[in-house]
Amino acid sequence: MKKSALLSFAFLLLSAVYANAQSRVRFHTTMGDITVKLYDETPRHRDNFLKLVKDSTYNGLLFHRTISRFMIQAGDPNSRNAKPGQLLGDGDLGYTVEAEIRYPQLFHKRGALCAAREDGNPNSSASQFYIVTGAQYTENMLTRAQQRMDEYTGGKYKMPSEVADVYRKVGGAAHLDGSYTVFGEVVMGMDVADEISNVEVDANARPLKDIRILSTTIYDGSNLRNMNIDEFESYIANSDVQLVDVRTAEEYANAHLVGAINIDMKQADFMQKASTLLDKNRPVAVYCRSGKRSSISAEWLTEAGYRVANMQGGFLAWKEAGKKTQL
């Protein structure tokens, strides 16, 4: 993804003080906000990224390379004062970050946050990153992606069926797996990333109209807690907790937890309804059928300033445990 040569650097000097188990970063851009979650499985990239955000390194930089249905790239320090049409992508901070390939646990699914690098150098750029906006894969595309991965890694990695299924249903950039470090994912603002991906560009894929990162904000995740069934039951016993069922209205009507209100997270006005019905000064507890939708909803609500508890396992686990419900 990156073209220029970079010097290696002993990255271990970075302190873990910048890290948190649920670290998130919000990019405030000229086209809207994008929030990413950083993976603990890639601590070198996580800590480096947080340090750069803390130092305001990304403030004022451009998304200098955007390719529709593929990815958007930023982080070139030379882009801050770049002239119109200037070729970008070779800027660096004088060091690289040792690669942390965690395939197939972490892969280039749609929304993945990944580190750019120079061709031929397995280590990552210190500052340049990209967000995957890739389309869904056909069987032929998956075959070609595996062939590319075999060629680059010498056959080290094989695409599991579960990963292939994500590429079929969700999309991504499978041909980059095993070659670049995936160190996070978008949790809010994927629509903004898609809009950036689809702007008009020049022959070098640089947007004709500058798209700039105005500022960045770190969230430590302290306002989000994931709880098992028993913990959740004790938590919602507090009358101050606002209990929210984020399933569909039909699911809610069939049966729900006692005292829960229904706000369907699949509806476009989910956050608007939440802001109307929920008090930010009181804690919120969310659940869904299996825990997947509530996990996403909890992320959204946390980013909006709520203190949120998410029930792991969802309504299915609640019923299986013999907990009380109502119609």
Side-chain angles (χ1 to χ4, degrees):
M1 302 294 295
K2 192 175 183 297
K3 301 175 182 178
S4 68
L6 295 172
L7 299 175
S8 294
F9 179 75
F11 181 64
L12 294 177
L13 293 176
L14 282 176
S15 170
V17 70
Y18 295 111
N20 183 279
Q22 294 183 326
S23 296
R24 293 166 179 77
V25 172
R26 177 179 292 172
F27 289 96
H28 306 279
T29 83
T30 51
M31 290 188 66
D33 292 352
I34 301 173
T35 303
V36 297
K37 174 173 65 176
L38 307 182
Y39 296 146
D40 292 328
E41 294 84 351
T42 52
R44 289 188 292 271
H45 287 74
R46 176 200 62 198
D47 293 352
N48 178 68
F49 199 72
L50 290 173
K51 180 183 184 301
L52 296 182
V53 170
K54 186 178 179 68
D55 292 343
S56 300
T57 301
Y58 291 115
N59 295 2
L61 300 190
L62 301 178
F63 280 95
H64 65 270
R65 187 173 179 229
T66 69
I67 302 177
S68 181
R69 297 166 66 85
F70 177 29
M71 63 90 211
I72 60 176
Q73 185 170 344
D76 182 347
N78 294 338
S79 69
R80 181 173 283 107
N81 300 309
K83 297 178 181 179
Q86 179 181 334
L87 179 62
L88 297 169
D90 288 341
D92 65 70
L93 298 179
Y95 67 94
T96 59
V97 180
E98 184 179 350
E100 296 177 290
I101 307 298
R102 300 290 183 262
Y103 186 82
Q105 180 183 8
L106 306 178
F107 57 98
H108 282 77
K109 65 183 179 182
R110 174 176 157 79
L113 171 69
C114 315
R117 64 167 178 78
E118 174 196 1
D119 290 340
N121 186 342
N123 293 332
S124 303
S125 162
S127 61
Q128 293 201 39
F129 66 89
Y130 59 98
I131 294 171
V132 177
T133 60
Q136 294 172 315
Y137 270 59
T138 65
E139 295 306 315
N140 285 338
M141 292 168 66
L142 288 172
T143 298
R144 292 197 298 271
Q146 181 63 64
Q147 291 171 345
R148 195 270 184 192
M149 187 159 46
D150 288 342
E151 179 181 352
Y152 182 82
T153 69
K156 181 178 180 180
Y157 302 113
K158 298 299 179 184
M159 188 183 301
S161 59
E162 296 84 359
V163 172
D165 200 40
V166 172
Y167 283 129
R168 292 187 191 97
K169 295 178 179 179
V170 178
H175 64 289
L176 300 180
D177 284 339
S179 305
Y180 296 83
T181 296
V182 178
F183 66 99
E185 65 180 88
V186 173
V187 295
M188 196 171 186
M190 194 62 205
D191 57 331
V192 176
D194 284 333
E195 288 181 19
I196 294 174
S197 176
N198 290 321
V199 299
E200 190 175 359
V201 298
D202 64 17
N204 295 308
R206 176 179 168 179
L208 296 181
K209 182 178 180 181
D210 286 347
I211 304 168
R212 196 172 300 276
I213 298 171
L214 300 173
S215 62
T216 51
T217 306
I218 295 176
Y219 296 86
D220 64 7
S222 60
N223 285 332
L224 174 59
R225 297 173 59 190
N226 291 303
M227 299 181 176
N228 62 36
I229 299 301
D230 292 332
E231 291 172 329
F232 195 81
E233 183 180 36
S234 297
Y235 188 75
I236 63 175
N238 183 341
S239 60
D240 197 43
V241 173
Q242 304 167 97
L243 181 58
V244 183
D245 184 324
V246 301
R247 300 176 299 165
T248 64
E250 291 76 16
E251 290 175 295
Y252 176 82
N254 287 332
H256 55 268
L257 272 62
V258 177
I261 64 171
N262 179 226
I263 310 178
D264 185 355
M265 64 85 65
K266 289 188 175 181
Q267 297 301 312
D269 61 352
F270 172 77
M271 288 305 299
Q272 180 180 347
K273 285 185 176 179
S275 66
T276 300
L277 298 173
L278 301 178
D279 183 353
K280 284 189 178 180
N281 295 316
R282 297 169 54 199
V284 176
V286 297
Y287 72 92
C288 64
R289 178 178 177 273
S290 65
K292 293 181 180 179
R293 281 174 286 175
S294 63
S295 179
I296 296 171
S297 303
E299 297 272 5
W300 292 346
L301 291 168
T302 301
E303 297 300 342
Y306 293 91
R307 290 172 291 143
V308 186
N310 172 50
M311 183 171 72
Q312 297 175 316
F315 190 74
L316 293 178
W318 183 271
K319 284 188 65 178
E320 186 176 347
K323 305 295 185 181
K324 187 177 181 181
T325 64
Q326 71 179 62
L327 299 177

